[in-house]
Amino acid sequence: MTAADAMSVNVTAVDVASVDVASVNVTSSETILRRAGDRGWLIECADRHPAEVATSIRAQPWASGLREVVPAARTVLVVAETAAGMGKLAAGLRTVLDGPGARPTGPPPGRRIVIPVRYDGPDLPGVAERLGLAPDEVARRHSAGEHRVGFFGFAPGFAYLDGVPESLRLPRLSSPRPRVAAGVVAIAGNQTVVYPGGTPGGWHQIGVTTARLWDVTAEPPNRLAVGDRIVFEVVAP
Amino acid sequence: MTVTSAAPGRWVRTRHRSPDPGTGPEPAVLRVVAAGPAASVQDLGRPGLAHLGVPASGPADRRSFRLANRLVGNPEDTPALEVTLGGLAITLSTTRHVAVTGAPAPLTVDGVPVEGAPRLRLRAGSVLAVGRPWAGCRTYLAVSGGIEAERVLGSASRDSLTGLGPDPVRAGAEYGLGPVRPVPAVPLELAFSVVPCGGPATVRFRWGPRHELFDAADRHRLTTTPWRVSAECDRVGARLTGPPLAIGSVDLPSEGTVRGAIQVPPSGEPIVFLADHPVTGGYPVIGVVTDADIDLVGQTLPGDELRLVPVH
């Protein structure tokens, strides 16, 4: 980072053995920008939802100069097309993070998408037994509320959906399956997923949907987007 | 000999005497005679989709890939072959210019050695073979007009992590060729690739985003240890071996990662992410190799020594 860059972004020097300024504290929003390579900033979102931060960034006129905006569990990674102007980019990001309407909020409203699920997955009986519930009750609780698309990761089209009720939370399988078909609905921890197909999987498979949520031949390939609200609807086996 | 180079380091420009539009009754085809251990079709990948969980992929050594395409007059993003550790042999149904860049490897045309020519004119039916490189591991072979391969999400890159893109290159596979392009007058004496060769490779990196999770002694060790590339290296990443760093019990939720990220798993032995790296990771990233030097890491072999040097 050049001296001019550093001046524009309110740098708080970090105590690093090799004297490098790799993170920038943006104290007014308690959000931290951390350097992620020549062209990247990793935004630690503090009390703001990464999906909302990502949406705000994408709405900026200068966002066309960005190659990637990747929201995750607590962070947003921003990667520029070129390494020029990383200080200016940090200043722009800070403006978004500090701007009006950028107070702590929930995720953006998103769309409401209903996904029909047949609750007859191979792990459903075991899940029900471990939770002390009837299989029908597992299905009822899984389909009762809304699930929010938190972020994509792990594999193409693998959307982490938040909002699994406390009563359904289980750790992952001790041994993942080598390959899980598209449409399998599974749970682990406070998250649920509709498998995009062709990936390994260590989550508990409780059902299946015929809805195609990820299709590499479609434009766009994703039917779900970060921030969308998902409702599972029980359909008869 | 079908090569148009008069001597190593000297180049005689030739023109096509009989233009080949590639549109005759016989389609122009590249046929794979032998595939070698790990050849794949690549273009410049599928950037911009990381928020959907799609890795960027693309060549492990982008600089050599672009050079190969430029040498035969193709746009830089044209699909070409990435050959790992040699073993590839191809033949064309029509005479075309081909360029071979990246890890320097013994080349033969119909068994006759070719020397000092990053670009050559390969006659229809002749077999061009790429041997095992004597430095580096990835050699790029581009054909004038480019090869035609399945595109997935806008790219013909084979992503070894997710399986997106064309199938791995196999013996007997055939690829159509695009319309022939005029070969530019590139000063070929400048057309060399940078690969690690003779002694440790200096690899520059930036600290962050999670270097603060490591104490000063470990950060110091990262930059003073001569790291060796282990046998665990592929297009996803290269694991380095050396005295392990201590990361303690870090509970870091998954976050976005970039090519070049130096991720430190609980073993304490760093992994440098390459072209097919996952879009998110849960281990702390102590630093990121610079754009300028990550292609060099993409050329390293097990046993190669790296020195990690921080830049500002």
XYZ file of all heavy atoms in Angstrom, chain B residues 39-137:
705
model
N -3.462 -33.873 -18.339
C -3.643 -32.753 -19.263
C -5.099 -32.324 -19.200
O -5.996 -33.140 -18.995
C -3.278 -33.173 -20.690
N -5.323 -31.027 -19.333
C -6.701 -30.543 -19.293
C -6.875 -29.399 -20.268
O -5.916 -28.741 -20.669
C -7.068 -30.075 -17.881
O -6.285 -28.965 -17.497
N -8.140 -29.188 -20.662
C -8.473 -28.028 -21.471
C -8.646 -26.849 -20.522
O -9.255 -26.985 -19.452
C -9.783 -28.260 -22.251
C -10.162 -27.011 -23.049
C -9.658 -29.468 -23.159
N -8.089 -25.706 -20.885
C -8.255 -24.501 -20.080
C -8.519 -23.300 -20.968
O -8.061 -23.257 -22.109
C -6.984 -24.216 -19.243
C -6.648 -25.278 -18.213
C -7.669 -25.370 -17.082
O -8.309 -24.383 -16.713
N -7.841 -26.565 -16.532
N -9.292 -22.349 -20.434
C -9.255 -20.978 -20.948
C -9.010 -20.116 -19.718
O -8.453 -20.623 -18.750
C -10.517 -20.624 -21.753
C -11.795 -20.790 -20.950
O -11.714 -20.925 -19.701
O -12.881 -20.784 -21.549
N -9.405 -18.859 -19.731
C -9.061 -18.051 -18.552
C -10.068 -18.216 -17.411
O -10.093 -17.419 -16.474
C -8.853 -16.584 -18.938
C -7.553 -16.354 -19.728
C -7.381 -14.881 -20.083
C -6.323 -16.853 -18.967
N -10.887 -19.262 -17.483
C -11.693 -19.629 -16.326
C -13.030 -18.911 -16.249
O -13.494 -18.309 -17.216
N -13.669 -19.032 -15.113
C -15.005 -18.468 -14.925
C -15.033 -17.555 -13.701
O -15.662 -17.872 -12.689
C -16.065 -19.571 -14.844
C -15.675 -20.858 -14.134
C -16.754 -21.934 -14.223
N -16.729 -22.682 -15.461
C -15.878 -23.685 -15.753
N -14.993 -24.065 -14.864
N -15.925 -24.294 -16.910
N -14.332 -16.420 -13.795
C -14.349 -15.481 -12.675
C -15.720 -14.821 -12.535
O -16.527 -14.846 -13.466
C -13.286 -14.444 -13.069
C -13.248 -14.492 -14.559
C -13.544 -15.921 -14.923
N -15.964 -14.260 -11.371
C -17.198 -13.512 -11.150
C -18.338 -14.344 -10.632
O -19.438 -13.834 -10.463
N -18.133 -15.637 -10.386
C -19.206 -16.513 -9.918
C -18.926 -17.089 -8.530
O -19.614 -17.996 -8.086
C -19.416 -17.667 -10.918
C -19.834 -17.275 -12.334
C -19.828 -18.496 -13.250
C -21.228 -16.646 -12.328
N -17.923 -16.544 -7.849
C -17.548 -17.101 -6.543
C -18.701 -17.012 -5.546
O -18.846 -17.873 -4.685
C -16.316 -16.384 -5.993
N -19.547 -15.969 -5.683
C -20.660 -15.824 -4.738
C -21.709 -16.923 -4.936
O -22.614 -17.049 -4.124
C -21.295 -14.446 -4.885
C -21.896 -14.210 -6.245
N -21.128 -14.058 -7.378
C -23.171 -14.133 -6.653
C -21.924 -13.887 -8.418
N -23.160 -13.929 -8.013
N -21.566 -17.710 -6.019
C -22.448 -18.867 -6.232
C -21.706 -20.173 -5.951
O -22.190 -21.253 -6.281
C -22.990 -18.877 -7.671
C -23.815 -17.658 -8.070
C -24.230 -17.754 -9.542
C -25.050 -17.525 -7.182
N -20.520 -20.070 -5.378
C -19.758 -21.260 -5.038
C -18.947 -21.823 -6.192
O -18.467 -22.950 -6.108
N -18.788 -21.046 -7.267
C -18.086 -21.540 -8.459
C -16.646 -21.018 -8.470
O -16.428 -19.808 -8.520
C -18.813 -21.091 -9.742
C -18.064 -21.573 -10.979
C -20.241 -21.581 -9.746
N -15.663 -21.940 -8.405
C -14.264 -21.489 -8.444
C -13.922 -20.821 -9.777
O -14.546 -21.115 -10.807
C -13.464 -22.791 -8.292
C -14.419 -23.790 -7.729
C -15.766 -23.397 -8.256
N -12.913 -19.943 -9.743
C -12.520 -19.248 -10.979
C -11.827 -20.188 -11.953
O -11.979 -20.060 -13.156
C -11.617 -18.069 -10.650
N -11.050 -21.132 -11.454
C -10.332 -22.083 -12.301
C -9.433 -21.358 -13.316
O -8.973 -20.272 -13.051
C -11.321 -23.041 -12.961
O -10.639 -24.149 -13.495
N -9.209 -21.955 -14.484
C -8.279 -21.368 -15.456
C -6.894 -21.959 -15.301
O -6.658 -22.816 -14.452
N -5.943 -21.520 -16.135
C -4.606 -22.121 -16.108
C -3.899 -21.881 -14.777
O -4.073 -20.835 -14.153
C -3.866 -21.411 -17.243
C -4.690 -20.228 -17.602
C -6.080 -20.456 -17.139
N -3.079 -22.845 -14.352
C -2.302 -22.682 -13.128
C -1.214 -21.630 -13.334
O -0.826 -20.944 -12.403
C -1.686 -24.019 -12.710
N -0.732 -21.507 -14.555
C 0.267 -20.491 -14.906
C -0.346 -19.646 -16.025
O -0.236 -19.969 -17.206
C 1.569 -21.182 -15.350
C 2.621 -20.211 -15.866
O 2.353 -18.995 -15.930
O 3.719 -20.688 -16.215
N -1.037 -18.576 -15.603
C -1.788 -17.759 -16.570
C -0.874 -17.046 -17.554
O -1.213 -16.859 -18.713
C -2.640 -16.732 -15.808
C -3.688 -17.380 -14.932
C -4.159 -16.435 -13.861
N -3.056 -16.049 -13.001
C -3.164 -15.205 -11.982
N -4.319 -14.651 -11.697
N -2.105 -14.908 -11.245
N 0.306 -16.652 -17.080
C 1.226 -15.913 -17.943
C 1.664 -16.773 -19.131
O 1.630 -16.327 -20.281
C 2.428 -15.483 -17.102
C 3.412 -14.594 -17.797
C 4.383 -14.003 -16.777
N 4.659 -14.952 -15.686
C 5.272 -14.623 -14.559
N 5.667 -13.392 -14.356
N 5.496 -15.531 -13.616
N 2.033 -18.008 -18.864
C 2.475 -18.884 -19.960
C 1.315 -19.224 -20.881
O 1.483 -19.359 -22.096
C 3.083 -20.164 -19.385
O 4.214 -19.864 -18.603
N 0.118 -19.378 -20.295
C -1.069 -19.684 -21.101
C -1.352 -18.551 -22.086
O -1.567 -18.774 -23.280
C -2.271 -19.896 -20.165
C -3.564 -20.132 -20.867
C -3.952 -21.424 -21.198
C -4.400 -19.086 -21.216
C -5.150 -21.653 -21.855
C -5.594 -19.309 -21.877
C -5.971 -20.595 -22.196
N -1.336 -17.323 -21.572
C -1.621 -16.165 -22.442
C -0.567 -16.058 -23.546
O -0.883 -15.751 -24.693
C -1.613 -14.882 -21.611
C -2.787 -14.753 -20.668
C -2.776 -13.345 -20.048
N -4.009 -13.082 -19.353
C -4.118 -12.988 -18.028
N -3.048 -13.143 -17.268
N -5.283 -12.744 -17.469
N 0.661 -16.311 -23.161
C 1.749 -16.226 -24.137
C 1.533 -17.232 -25.272
O 1.690 -16.896 -26.452
C 3.084 -16.477 -23.434
C 4.332 -16.522 -24.309
C 4.537 -15.179 -25.009
C 5.561 -16.874 -23.473
N 1.134 -18.446 -24.918
C 0.918 -19.467 -25.955
C -0.132 -18.986 -26.949
O 0.036 -19.101 -28.168
C 0.501 -20.791 -25.311
N -1.222 -18.440 -26.440
C -2.268 -17.959 -27.343
C -1.794 -16.782 -28.193
O -2.069 -16.713 -29.394
C -3.521 -17.573 -26.546
C -4.494 -18.734 -26.408
O -4.622 -19.561 -27.322
N -5.178 -18.807 -25.285
N -1.068 -15.855 -27.572
C -0.593 -14.688 -28.339
C 0.325 -15.122 -29.478
O 0.282 -14.572 -30.570
C 0.164 -13.721 -27.428
C -0.717 -12.908 -26.516
C -0.050 -11.573 -26.146
N 1.260 -11.732 -25.551
C 1.472 -11.988 -24.263
N 0.452 -12.114 -23.439
N 2.696 -12.111 -23.795
N 1.141 -16.130 -29.213
C 2.108 -16.562 -30.224
C 1.438 -17.097 -31.483
O 2.014 -17.041 -32.564
C 3.041 -17.634 -29.644
C 4.104 -17.132 -28.671
C 4.790 -18.307 -27.993
C 5.126 -16.268 -29.400
N 0.239 -17.653 -31.334
C -0.437 -18.196 -32.521
C -1.578 -17.285 -32.972
O -2.419 -17.678 -33.777
C -0.953 -19.634 -32.286
C 0.217 -20.597 -32.140
C -1.886 -19.712 -31.086
N -1.619 -16.046 -32.431
C -2.577 -15.072 -32.929
C -3.961 -15.191 -32.332
O -4.909 -14.542 -32.806
N -4.110 -16.006 -31.281
C -5.431 -16.173 -30.664
C -5.672 -15.097 -29.609
O -4.727 -14.651 -28.957
C -5.522 -17.525 -29.938
C -5.472 -18.709 -30.866
O -5.729 -18.582 -32.063
N -5.132 -19.861 -30.319
N -6.942 -14.740 -29.390
C -7.242 -13.971 -28.186
C -6.746 -14.751 -26.958
O -6.741 -15.992 -26.970
C -8.772 -13.864 -28.188
C -9.170 -14.070 -29.616
C -8.139 -15.017 -30.185
N -6.365 -14.029 -25.903
C -5.724 -14.685 -24.749
C -6.614 -15.703 -24.047
O -6.129 -16.581 -23.359
C -5.292 -13.619 -23.728
C -4.120 -12.791 -24.200
C -3.621 -11.850 -23.120
O -4.398 -11.556 -22.179
O -2.466 -11.412 -23.222
N -7.923 -15.565 -24.229
C -8.869 -16.422 -23.518
C -9.217 -17.692 -24.305
O -10.079 -18.458 -23.920
C -10.147 -15.608 -23.248
C -11.018 -16.256 -22.185
O -10.489 -17.087 -21.428
O -12.223 -15.939 -22.136
N -8.552 -17.914 -25.434
C -8.910 -19.049 -26.298
C -8.556 -20.381 -25.630
O -7.469 -20.520 -25.067
C -8.142 -18.929 -27.630
O -8.435 -17.648 -28.199
C -8.541 -20.016 -28.611
N -9.446 -21.374 -25.691
C -9.116 -22.665 -25.083
C -7.842 -23.293 -25.663
O -7.622 -23.267 -26.875
C -10.349 -23.523 -25.403
C -11.462 -22.545 -25.547
C -10.837 -21.329 -26.185
N -7.014 -23.814 -24.755
C -5.758 -24.468 -25.124
C -5.535 -25.595 -24.122
O -6.350 -25.793 -23.220
C -4.611 -23.457 -25.095
N -4.447 -26.326 -24.294
C -4.193 -27.470 -23.415
C -3.156 -27.128 -22.346
O -2.117 -26.537 -22.653
C -3.704 -28.675 -24.232
C -4.701 -29.226 -25.261
C -4.075 -30.400 -26.011
C -6.006 -29.654 -24.583
N -3.481 -27.497 -21.116
C -2.504 -27.430 -20.023
C -1.979 -28.845 -19.825
O -2.752 -29.757 -19.532
C -3.159 -26.923 -18.740
C -2.187 -26.879 -17.567
C -2.825 -26.311 -16.296
O -2.855 -25.080 -16.146
O -3.312 -27.106 -15.473
N -0.686 -29.016 -20.000
C -0.064 -30.340 -19.925
C 0.761 -30.386 -18.646
O 1.637 -29.547 -18.447
C 0.856 -30.584 -21.140
C 1.370 -32.021 -21.136
C 0.130 -30.261 -22.440
N 0.450 -31.329 -17.757
C 1.199 -31.433 -16.509
C 2.153 -32.615 -16.578
O 1.724 -33.743 -16.842
C 0.234 -31.593 -15.327
O -0.659 -30.473 -15.322
C 0.990 -31.625 -14.004
N 3.433 -32.345 -16.404
C 4.483 -33.371 -16.426
C 4.587 -34.096 -17.769
O 5.001 -35.251 -17.836
C 4.271 -34.391 -15.292
C 4.315 -33.794 -13.882
C 3.972 -34.857 -12.839
C 5.675 -33.176 -13.591
N 4.228 -33.410 -18.830
C 4.435 -33.952 -20.177
C 3.570 -35.159 -20.490
O 2.503 -35.350 -19.918
N 4.051 -35.964 -21.437
C 3.339 -37.184 -21.802
C 2.264 -36.992 -22.840
O 1.608 -37.951 -23.238
N 2.080 -35.745 -23.320
C 1.021 -35.487 -24.299
C 1.573 -35.629 -25.714
O 2.702 -35.219 -25.990
C 0.471 -34.065 -24.129
C -0.650 -33.703 -25.115
C -2.009 -34.069 -24.524
C -0.624 -32.229 -25.487
N 0.791 -36.231 -26.583
C 1.117 -36.236 -28.010
C -0.159 -35.941 -28.771
O -1.225 -36.476 -28.441
C 1.709 -37.586 -28.428
N -0.058 -35.071 -29.770
C -1.245 -34.704 -30.552
C -0.917 -34.725 -32.031
O 0.249 -34.669 -32.439
C -1.746 -33.289 -30.194
C -0.646 -32.240 -30.438
C -2.217 -33.218 -28.744
C -1.091 -31.065 -31.226
N -1.966 -34.780 -32.813
C -1.803 -34.627 -34.253
C -2.957 -33.772 -34.768
O -4.031 -33.765 -34.171
C -1.741 -36.006 -34.947
O -1.519 -35.812 -36.337
C -3.013 -36.791 -34.744
N -2.712 -33.035 -35.841
C -3.735 -32.165 -36.409
C -4.157 -32.706 -37.769
O -3.349 -33.287 -38.489
C -3.204 -30.742 -36.588
C -2.631 -30.042 -35.350
C -2.137 -28.648 -35.719
C -3.671 -29.965 -34.236
N -5.413 -32.489 -38.119
C -5.892 -32.934 -39.426
C -5.538 -31.930 -40.510
O -5.723 -32.188 -41.691
C -7.402 -33.132 -39.386
O -8.043 -31.875 -39.196
N -5.042 -30.790 -40.090
C -4.732 -29.722 -41.033
C -3.503 -28.984 -40.531
O -3.264 -28.931 -39.323
C -5.933 -28.752 -41.157
O -5.576 -27.674 -42.008
C -6.331 -28.195 -39.804
N -2.695 -28.467 -41.410
C -1.465 -27.804 -41.000
C -1.786 -26.493 -40.281
O -2.537 -25.676 -40.792
C -0.584 -27.544 -42.234
O -0.295 -28.809 -42.848
C 0.717 -26.847 -41.856
N -1.222 -26.334 -39.125
C -1.459 -25.129 -38.318
C -0.208 -24.757 -37.543
O 0.595 -25.620 -37.201
C -2.574 -25.372 -37.293
C -3.967 -25.568 -37.832
C -4.695 -24.261 -38.004
N -5.978 -24.478 -38.647
C -7.163 -24.249 -38.080
N -7.223 -23.798 -36.844
N -8.279 -24.455 -38.746
N -0.146 -23.474 -37.143
C 0.861 -23.067 -36.168
C 0.409 -23.488 -34.774
O -0.767 -23.358 -34.429
C 1.077 -21.555 -36.207
C 2.022 -21.134 -37.282
N 1.594 -20.745 -38.540
C 3.380 -21.043 -37.293
C 2.640 -20.441 -39.273
N 3.739 -20.614 -38.544
N 1.360 -23.988 -34.003
C 1.092 -24.283 -32.597
C 2.193 -23.592 -31.777
O 3.297 -23.348 -32.282
C 1.070 -25.798 -32.289
C 0.021 -26.505 -33.109
C 2.438 -26.421 -32.508
N 1.870 -23.279 -30.545
C 2.858 -22.688 -29.640
C 2.917 -23.534 -28.389
O 1.906 -24.059 -27.929
C 2.467 -21.256 -29.292
N 4.126 -23.697 -27.860
C 4.327 -24.474 -26.638
C 5.103 -23.589 -25.659
O 6.215 -23.158 -25.956
C 5.107 -25.779 -26.920
C 5.260 -26.580 -25.639
C 4.389 -26.611 -27.987
N 4.481 -23.282 -24.526
C 5.101 -22.391 -23.542
C 5.041 -23.031 -22.161
O 4.536 -24.133 -21.998
C 4.356 -21.046 -23.496
O 3.017 -21.293 -23.029
C 4.306 -20.359 -24.849
N 5.515 -22.298 -21.172
C 5.466 -22.788 -19.796
C 6.698 -23.612 -19.477
O 7.806 -23.285 -19.897
N 6.491 -24.692 -18.717
C 7.622 -25.524 -18.326
C 8.342 -26.026 -19.567
O 7.731 -26.647 -20.435
C 7.130 -26.698 -17.491
N 9.650 -25.760 -19.680
C 10.376 -26.188 -20.879
C 10.475 -27.713 -20.926
O 10.933 -28.331 -19.979
C 11.757 -25.540 -20.701
C 11.887 -25.320 -19.232
C 10.504 -25.103 -18.688
N 9.987 -28.274 -22.014
C 9.923 -29.734 -22.121
C 10.490 -30.147 -23.467
O 10.421 -29.396 -24.440
C 8.467 -30.194 -22.005
N 11.071 -31.341 -23.531
C 11.542 -31.819 -24.832
C 10.362 -32.018 -25.783
O 9.367 -32.637 -25.417
C 12.226 -33.150 -24.497
C 11.729 -33.539 -23.151
C 11.322 -32.290 -22.440
N 10.483 -31.451 -26.981
C 9.424 -31.594 -27.991
C 9.962 -32.428 -29.139
O 11.121 -32.294 -29.520
C 9.029 -30.223 -28.557
C 8.490 -29.172 -27.612
C 8.100 -27.935 -28.410
C 7.309 -29.718 -26.846
N 9.094 -33.251 -29.688
C 9.461 -33.944 -30.916
C 8.314 -33.836 -31.910
O 7.151 -33.741 -31.518
C 9.748 -35.445 -30.683
O 8.570 -36.055 -30.138
C 10.913 -35.663 -29.730
N 8.676 -33.805 -33.176
C 7.678 -33.918 -34.240
C 8.034 -35.173 -35.025
O 9.138 -35.272 -35.556
C 7.663 -32.680 -35.148
C 6.744 -32.905 -36.346
C 7.209 -31.452 -34.361
N 7.133 -36.123 -35.025
C 7.379 -37.439 -35.633
C 8.697 -38.028 -35.125
O 9.478 -38.615 -35.880
C 7.382 -37.331 -37.162
C 6.005 -36.963 -37.696
O 5.003 -37.295 -37.031
O 5.936 -36.312 -38.752
N 8.935 -37.827 -33.840
C 10.103 -38.423 -33.204
C 11.382 -37.619 -33.332
O 12.396 -37.957 -32.738
N 11.347 -36.558 -34.126
C 12.557 -35.751 -34.338
C 12.539 -34.581 -33.354
O 11.557 -33.827 -33.304
C 12.610 -35.214 -35.782
C 13.857 -34.348 -35.984
C 12.568 -36.368 -36.770
N 13.599 -34.411 -32.564
C 13.601 -33.323 -31.584
C 13.467 -31.948 -32.224
O 14.016 -31.692 -33.297
C 14.956 -33.469 -30.890
C 15.363 -34.883 -31.128
C 14.802 -35.256 -32.468
N 12.736 -31.090 -31.539
C 12.562 -29.700 -31.949
C 13.233 -28.864 -30.878
O 12.994 -29.077 -29.705
C 11.068 -29.331 -31.997
C 10.893 -27.871 -32.387
C 10.301 -30.250 -32.910
N 14.046 -27.917 -31.281
C 14.738 -27.138 -30.260
C 14.495 -25.657 -30.427
O 14.450 -25.149 -31.532
C 16.243 -27.425 -30.300
C 16.587 -28.772 -29.684
C 18.063 -29.071 -29.771
O 18.853 -28.115 -29.693
O 18.402 -30.262 -29.942
N 14.317 -25.006 -29.293
C 14.330 -23.548 -29.251
C 13.206 -22.870 -29.997
O 13.354 -21.749 -30.431
N 12.099 -23.537 -30.180
C 11.011 -22.920 -30.937
C 9.726 -22.918 -30.126
O 9.058 -23.934 -30.057
C 10.796 -23.664 -32.251
N 9.389 -21.795 -29.490
C 8.104 -21.769 -28.776
C 6.916 -21.845 -29.741
O 5.803 -22.117 -29.333
C 8.131 -20.433 -28.025
C 9.118 -19.589 -28.753
C 10.119 -20.538 -29.359
N 7.177 -21.564 -31.044
C 6.102 -21.668 -32.029
C 6.622 -22.484 -33.209
O 7.752 -22.309 -33.646
C 5.705 -20.274 -32.499
C 4.608 -20.279 -33.542
C 4.084 -18.885 -33.777
N 5.058 -18.048 -34.485
C 4.943 -16.720 -34.583
N 3.933 -16.089 -34.003
N 5.842 -16.029 -35.237
N 5.782 -23.350 -33.709
C 6.192 -24.127 -34.866
C 4.974 -24.411 -35.740
O 3.837 -24.280 -35.290
C 6.870 -25.436 -34.426
C 6.101 -26.324 -33.450
C 5.237 -27.315 -34.192
C 7.082 -27.076 -32.546
N 5.259 -24.754 -36.975
C 4.182 -25.058 -37.905
C 4.088 -26.570 -37.992
O 5.033 -27.244 -38.410
C 4.486 -24.441 -39.272
C 3.322 -24.441 -40.234
C 3.527 -23.372 -41.300
N 2.465 -23.443 -42.305
C 2.585 -24.088 -43.449
N 3.706 -24.735 -43.745
N 1.575 -24.101 -44.302
N 2.967 -27.073 -37.523
C 2.807 -28.527 -37.443
C 2.005 -28.987 -38.647
O 0.860 -28.587 -38.842
C 2.073 -28.898 -36.145
C 1.951 -30.398 -35.853
C 3.312 -31.038 -35.631
C 1.048 -30.622 -34.640
N 2.621 -29.850 -39.430
C 1.948 -30.325 -40.646
C 0.835 -31.308 -40.308
O 0.923 -32.044 -39.325
C 2.950 -31.035 -41.554
C 3.791 -30.111 -42.348
C 4.528 -30.877 -43.439
N 5.642 -30.098 -43.919
C 5.511 -29.042 -44.721
N 4.316 -28.650 -45.130
N 6.572 -28.378 -45.109
N -0.169 -31.305 -41.144
C -1.274 -32.262 -40.980
C -0.701 -33.668 -40.874
O 0.146 -34.065 -41.673
C -2.221 -32.164 -42.169
N -1.148 -34.397 -39.867
C -0.758 -35.794 -39.723
C 0.519 -36.030 -38.947
O 0.775 -37.144 -38.490
N 1.345 -34.989 -38.769
C 2.556 -35.165 -37.962
C 2.177 -35.227 -36.485
O 1.210 -34.607 -36.062
C 3.526 -34.002 -38.185
O 4.128 -34.110 -39.457
N 2.986 -35.962 -35.719
C 2.690 -36.108 -34.291
C 3.657 -35.240 -33.479
O 4.874 -35.412 -33.560
C 2.795 -37.583 -33.839
C 2.639 -37.688 -32.313
C 1.744 -38.423 -34.556
N 3.075 -34.300 -32.744
C 3.866 -33.451 -31.847
C 3.773 -34.036 -30.445
O 2.671 -34.243 -29.921
C 3.318 -32.019 -31.849
C 3.869 -31.067 -30.783
C 5.362 -30.809 -30.981
C 3.094 -29.751 -30.784
N 4.929 -34.336 -29.843
C 4.945 -34.920 -28.504
C 5.654 -33.977 -27.537
O 6.675 -33.376 -27.863
C 5.645 -36.278 -28.522
N 5.044 -33.832 -26.348
C 5.606 -33.001 -25.284
C 6.116 -33.943 -24.205
O 5.343 -34.688 -23.604
C 4.527 -32.063 -24.690
C 5.118 -31.210 -23.574
C 3.902 -31.195 -25.777
N 7.432 -33.934 -23.968
C 8.019 -34.810 -22.956
C 7.948 -34.214 -21.565
O 7.324 -33.163 -21.345
N 8.588 -34.887 -20.642
C 8.573 -34.409 -19.263
C 9.467 -33.177 -19.133
O 10.617 -33.187 -19.572
C 9.064 -35.532 -18.340
C 8.848 -35.214 -16.873
C 9.398 -36.304 -15.971
N 9.314 -35.863 -14.589
C 8.420 -36.314 -13.702
N 7.575 -37.244 -14.068
N 8.386 -35.846 -12.477
N 8.957 -32.099 -18.545
C 9.750 -30.865 -18.441
C 11.000 -31.070 -17.609
O 11.017 -31.895 -16.694
C 8.814 -29.877 -17.741
C 7.458 -30.466 -17.818
C 7.623 -31.947 -17.955
N 12.047 -30.323 -17.936
C 13.248 -30.411 -17.101
C 13.232 -29.353 -16.004
O 14.103 -29.328 -15.156
C 14.522 -30.368 -17.921
C 14.610 -29.303 -18.965
C 14.901 -28.002 -18.773
C 14.418 -29.480 -20.364
N 14.889 -27.348 -19.969
C 14.608 -28.218 -20.965
C 14.098 -30.582 -21.189
C 14.488 -28.027 -22.337
C 13.983 -30.375 -22.542
C 14.185 -29.114 -23.105
N 12.263 -28.474 -16.007
C 12.032 -27.553 -14.883
C 10.563 -27.190 -14.934
O 9.967 -27.130 -16.001
C 12.893 -26.308 -15.003
N 9.975 -26.951 -13.770
C 8.550 -26.645 -13.753
C 7.744 -27.878 -14.084
O 8.279 -28.975 -14.273
N 6.435 -27.731 -14.123
C 5.593 -28.911 -14.384
C 4.510 -28.685 -15.430
O 3.984 -29.648 -15.963
C 4.972 -29.408 -13.079
S 3.896 -28.223 -12.275
